Amino acid sequence: MPDRIEMPADWLRYLQQSAEQRAEEIVQNVLQAPDYPTLPDCPTCAVSPERIVSRMSEPTFEQDWAAVLVDFKPCGHGFTVPESELLRG
Ligand SMILES: [Zn+2]
């Protein structure tokens, strides 16, 4: 598995806000799939993804702190935001 790039909490909040705005826009304008607003670009390859998946990490022996893992599809770039970073903001 390739290394994930650590991102600040602000970036995660930006993704969440974008997702909410996008969902609203789709409902308000009754948009169909090909006309959906684009998702935020991947910070690594600057390509607009088809999907952004986020989940909490499972604690492991190497990393005992929790983090939010964010995966961009289909480019496959992965990012992580440590929970400590989120609590600070
Ligand atoms: Zn990418």
Side-chain angles (χ1 to χ4, degrees):
M1 200 173 87
D3 285 344
R4 290 175 176 276
I5 297 170
E6 199 172 303
M7 297 293 283
D10 281 349
W11 177 73
L12 195 67
R13 279 191 277 271
Y14 159 71
L15 285 189
Q16 285 163 343
Q17 280 170 8
S18 302
E20 283 166 22
Q21 279 171 10
R22 184 172 184 265
E24 260 174 44
E25 212 172 304
I26 289 167
V27 171
Q28 277 174 5
N29 301 317
V30 201
L31 297 177
Q32 298 300 319
D35 299 325
Y36 280 4
T38 55
L39 291 161
D41 290 350
C42 170
T44 297
C45 63
V47 168
S48 180
E50 288 170 19
R51 246 156 45 94
I52 300 174
V53 183
S54 70
R55 61 193 160 92
M56 289 303 292
S57 69
E58 301 282 338
T60 62
F61 289 115
E62 295 83 32
Q63 180 187 313
D64 59 1
W65 41 273
V68 179
L69 307 179
V70 182
D71 290 303
F72 281 67
K73 317 268 180 179
C75 71
H77 288 118
F79 305 90
T80 181
V81 181
E83 197 174 41
S84 58
E85 181 81 12
L86 294 173
L87 298 175
R88 198 185 308 152

